[in-house]
Amino acid sequence: MAVKLNKDIQILVVDEQPLTQNYLRYALETLGYTSFTYAENSAIALTQCRDKSFDLIICSFNLNGKDGYQLYQELKARNLFRHSTGFIFISAETDPSLVHSVLELQPDEFMVKPYAIKDLKARIDRTVQRKNLFRPLYSLMDQKKTDPALKQLDQWLEQGYQPKYNSMLLKIKGEILQQAGRWTEGEQFYSSLVHNENQHWVKLGLARCLIQRERYSEATALLQPLLHKADLKLAALDLLSDIHLRQQMYKKAQTELLQAADMAPRNLMRQQKLMHLSRLTHDYEHQFKAAKDLLRFARFSIYEQPDLYLNLARASIDYALSVDEEEQTTRLSKVANDTLSNMRQLFPDQRKEEQQVVVQARIYYLKDQIEKAKQLLLALDKSPVTQGAEDILDKAKALHEVGLLSSSRELLRQLTQDETKLKNADPVFLTYLKQEQQERESLPMGPREFNNNAVLLYERGQLHQALTAFIQAFNIMPGNVSIALNLLQSLRSTENIDASIQTEELRLQCEVMLSKAKLNEEQQKRWQQLQSQQKIAI
């Protein structure tokens, strides 16, 4: 049965191009719609949505400053967006990473410029009809009335109301059960539908419920086949990474998140999780990249804040400390300085003075100006601990790097025992904090100095002590070429190695890393010599 569309609806058009606004006006008037409001940027659109409720928003992705993606995020975060409001994205860009990112937001429609009026009509009609038909349900969802919403859904499904939307209603029911944390009920619901091979969202929903109930092998079996389906791969990767995180298989979880972030890089929660995971696995390059992407895609959004700038500066230093190339170290040091400068300009009222001093001290350490770094830190050492957990951790790192070991360890001890600061901490951060505490306890000096000391032990013929030190240094900085070369040489020079040391695994890790790394002339020569020695030994 055809449903008559309500043409007297309130429409907001968000586009900065006058020509596009005029074309949309002409198209909408041609289609019989009469009530439009225009916004040429996101700031105006936000004001309009605060002042007035809209039935449909047609939004261009390509806006200066806060773009359409960020506008959509903010409308939802500020509860300026009802379930009964239709949202149509329009974009001139078709890059797959952008398309995946936008589709993750689940707008009602996504259109690519240029488009014909008949195509616009089809998208608007479809959206408006759907919103009108199920307005009572959407109203209950807006009010977070879970039980009445589920009752309404079950009633419609039982009555066969609008059968062509049956799959959509089932999907909404599953989503409501998940949002309410009703995992056992959700599992039963999805299990009753899983026989339908055409509804792949059922398998994703069932997998989420199984994960929450710690039935990881069953969830994994459901998700693995979905990796081969283009429209489901992203969600499957996220869920598999969640499983491996819970199982403390951090490198597998990181690999899956890297793939997901490559597909849809604008998801800030994913980038943040990837940043935390990368530093836990000592992958400082990907920690730096994730911190950089996190800041880049948060720029102009509701989520832009000083801590994102601090985290990028810190990640730049962590990465710089793990590499050997002077040019790269200089570049990363400049990134850290520039990031702090940008933070000061953008957030003049939130300068975070002590955090900046700590970062500056680490930059001095990076440049081998250790005494200068130490003096900066000594001036802060007795100040009260009022910062967040990340700030305290960075300060502990800086103290350790300049040789103030007891102060560093005491700060870490205080942090690990401070329940108020760690109450809502991410589990990955808690694991990383514990790892940092253990590593800083085992290192009597900064990682760079520790490697240099191991070289001295090796040159003095104290091969077993040198090997132990190189292994520790490599565990902390697995991307450092010099340490990998030193460890490989030490493994091949040391006799009667302790049986508990996984020598073959360490050799393979070094060789894989060196085969992929960009080596300078001297490092390339050393690597070739070690490869030749291996062939002779064989």
Side-chain angles (χ1 to χ4, degrees), residues 169-179 189-190 201:
L169 294 176
L170 288 169
K171 190 175 182 208
I172 291 174
K173 180 177 179 178
E175 289 169 351
I176 291 174
L177 289 171
Q178 289 181 63
Q179 289 163 8
F189 167 72
Y190 286 117
W201 55 265

Side-chain angles (χ1 to χ4, degrees), residues 17-30 38 114-118 120:
Q17 298 293 333
L19 284 176
T20 304
Q21 288 186 14
N22 290 335
Y23 178 74
L24 275 169
R25 176 189 287 277
Y26 167 73
L28 290 168
E29 287 176 344
T30 300
Y38 294 92
Y115 52 85
I117 291 181
K118 68 174 183 177
L120 180 66

Side-chain angles (χ1 to χ4, degrees), residues 328-526:
Q328 193 172 14
T329 301
T330 302
R331 180 179 64 82
L332 289 165
S333 176
K334 185 176 185 303
V335 170
N337 272 315
D338 290 348
T339 302
L340 288 183
S341 177
N342 290 337
M343 185 189 80
R344 285 191 291 268
Q345 291 177 15
L346 292 166
F347 300 94
D349 298 328
Q350 302 180 54
R351 297 178 64 84
K352 296 197 176 256
E353 297 290 352
E354 181 165 328
Q355 292 92 328
Q356 289 192 67
V357 170
V358 171
V359 172
Q360 187 59 59
R362 297 192 71 200
I363 293 172
Y364 283 144
Y365 172 76
L366 191 60
K367 297 177 177 179
D368 291 325
Q369 298 175 359
I370 298 176
E371 196 56 38
K372 207 169 182 179
K374 187 182 292 186
Q375 292 306 314
L376 277 180
L377 294 170
L378 284 171
L380 298 173
D381 198 28
K382 295 181 181 179
S383 60
V385 179
T386 57
Q387 295 85 17
E390 288 282 3
D391 304 326
I392 297 168
L393 177 56
D394 197 52
K395 187 175 181 180
K397 284 184 184 180
L399 290 167
H400 186 276
E401 286 161 356
V402 301
L404 298 171
L405 304 185
S406 61
S407 296
S408 172
R409 290 165 182 166
E410 175 60 20
L411 205 54
L412 285 172
R413 187 192 64 77
Q414 290 176 11
L415 178 56
T416 54
Q417 295 178 358
D418 191 335
E419 294 181 2
T420 58
K421 282 191 168 57
L422 302 178
K423 184 178 180 181
N424 299 313
D426 181 274
V428 177
F429 174 78
L430 293 176
T431 305
Y432 175 65
L433 176 59
K434 184 178 179 181
Q435 176 178 282
E436 276 292 308
Q437 188 175 25
Q438 291 171 344
E439 290 177 353
R440 302 287 166 177
E441 285 284 349
S442 67
L443 289 182
M445 57 196 75
R448 279 184 165 181
E449 289 76 17
F450 195 70
N451 177 58
N452 295 337
N453 187 60
V455 172
L456 289 175
L457 290 171
Y458 184 86
E459 290 173 348
R460 292 171 185 163
Q462 297 172 265
L463 301 184
H464 287 91
Q465 296 96 315
L467 176 60
T468 300
F470 283 136
I471 291 171
Q472 284 181 280
F474 184 68
N475 284 336
I476 294 170
M477 294 193 288
N480 187 292
V481 170
S482 292
I483 292 174
L485 289 168
N486 291 340
L487 174 55
L488 198 55
Q489 185 171 337
S490 186
L491 284 168
R492 290 176 181 169
S493 306
T494 308
E495 298 179 354
N496 302 318
I497 298 175
D498 191 307
S500 64
I501 297 175
Q502 304 293 317
T503 55
E504 287 306 315
E505 185 178 338
L506 284 169
R507 282 193 185 101
L508 181 60
Q509 288 176 4
C510 290
E511 288 170 356
V512 168
M513 192 279 277
L514 290 167
S515 66
K516 296 178 179 179
K518 184 179 179 181
L519 310 179
N520 61 34
E521 188 176 341
E522 182 181 343
Q523 291 166 342
Q524 186 66 44
K525 187 176 179 180
R526 274 190 75 190

Side-chain angles (χ1 to χ4, degrees), residues 164-296:
K164 76 172 184 177
Y165 291 106
N166 195 67
S167 177
M168 183 197 82
L169 294 176
L170 288 169
K171 190 175 182 208
I172 291 174
K173 180 177 179 178
E175 289 169 351
I176 291 174
L177 289 171
Q178 289 181 63
Q179 289 163 8
R182 290 158 68 162
W183 303 111
T184 302
E185 193 177 342
E187 181 194 342
Q188 294 168 351
F189 167 72
Y190 286 117
S191 295
S192 70
L193 302 173
V194 78
H195 63 278
N196 190 337
E197 289 296 321
N198 295 323
Q199 306 297 342
H200 295 298
W201 55 265
V202 173
K203 293 183 180 179
L204 291 172
L206 180 55
R208 289 190 188 96
C209 294
L210 291 171
I211 290 169
Q212 292 296 326
R213 303 195 68 205
E214 299 184 3
R215 289 159 59 185
Y216 302 135
S217 58
E218 295 172 66
T220 300
L222 277 172
L223 293 168
Q224 286 291 346
L226 304 186
L227 293 174
H228 306 291
K229 299 186 180 296
D231 58 332
L232 302 170
K233 182 177 180 179
L234 183 60
L237 284 169
D238 276 334
L239 291 174
L240 285 168
S241 73
D242 188 22
I243 291 171
H244 292 131
L245 260 178
R246 291 163 180 256
Q247 294 176 321
Q248 298 183 2
M249 300 168 67
Y250 298 120
K251 288 190 176 180
K252 286 195 76 170
Q254 183 200 10
T255 299
E256 286 148 355
L257 275 182
L258 281 168
Q259 292 181 63
D262 186 56
M263 289 180 68
R266 295 183 67 100
N267 186 309
L268 301 183
M269 289 185 64
R270 183 183 295 122
Q271 292 289 2
Q272 186 171 44
K273 190 184 292 185
L274 180 57
M275 181 181 73
H276 291 328
L277 257 180
S278 296
R279 62 180 181 177
L280 180 60
T281 61
H282 297 109
D283 188 343
Y284 302 110
E285 181 178 1
H286 282 115
Q287 175 198 351
F288 170 72
K289 185 179 183 304
K292 188 167 64 171
D293 285 342
L294 191 56
L295 179 55
R296 177 160 66 106

